[in-house]
Amino acid sequence: MSARSKARKRALDILFQADVRGEDLPAVLAAEAKRAASEPARVGSWLYARDIVDGVIDNADQIDELIITHARDWKLDRMPAVDRALLRIATWEIVFNSEVPSAVAIDEAVELAKEYSTDGSGSFVHGVLARISRAV
């Protein structure tokens, strides 16, 4: 698994934890940063995970608006928490990170959805992200 794939999984863990536990995302990120400092072997994945989570924090309103607009009759609070987190990660990559091709961001999110979410999540995540990618 590439460092960026590991970073996406790590970002997923952070976003999911904050969402499900109702914790402040910057506080969860700070706690993870403290833990990451004691794990130098994982520094490669940590740096990009932090970029992702910081990007989601900084652009939360725009990211969520894109997801809501392109989710077609799905409200954010009705989506599985894993799907919400993955959509936020990939939307940030598609819109705000020109180093990652949209197809890669979509594929990575779909694979994580298939592994960690519901049976229909892979196709749902793919559909929403494809619409976002075409729109931006």
Side-chain angles (χ1 to χ4, degrees):
M1 180 181 284
S2 75
R4 284 213 168 167
S5 294
K6 289 177 185 175
R8 288 180 186 96
K9 170 62 172 83
R10 204 165 183 175
L12 171 62
D13 292 344
I14 294 167
L15 291 170
F16 180 81
Q17 176 183 333
D19 189 8
V20 170
R21 293 183 179 173
E23 296 175 354
D24 181 57
L25 184 53
V28 174
L29 181 61
E32 184 64 19
K34 185 177 179 181
R35 190 175 93 173
S38 67
E39 299 172 344
R42 295 175 59 188
V43 72
S45 67
W46 165 245
L47 295 176
Y48 188 58
R50 182 175 195 116
D51 286 347
I52 293 169
V53 177
D54 280 337
V56 169
I57 291 168
D58 293 344
N59 302 286
D61 292 340
Q62 187 176 356
I63 289 168
D64 283 355
E65 184 59 37
L66 283 166
I67 294 168
I68 291 165
T69 299
H70 297 285
R72 294 191 178 160
D73 300 325
W74 275 87
K75 295 181 184 214
L76 275 175
D77 61 348
R78 298 223 34 230
M79 294 176 193
V82 171
D83 295 2
R84 242 188 333 266
L86 289 171
L87 288 169
R88 287 172 172 152
I89 290 166
T91 299
W92 175 79
E93 286 187 310
I94 291 166
V95 177
F96 299 100
N97 187 351
S98 61
E99 295 177 12
V100 176
S102 294
V104 172
I106 293 168
D107 185 58
E108 291 274 339
V110 168
E111 290 306 310
L112 286 168
K114 287 178 181 177
E115 186 171 350
Y116 295 107
S117 197
T118 68
D119 289 340
S121 288
S123 59
F124 172 71
V125 166
H126 184 273
V128 174
L129 293 174
R131 287 188 290 276
I132 290 171
S133 179
R134 284 191 299 268
V136 296

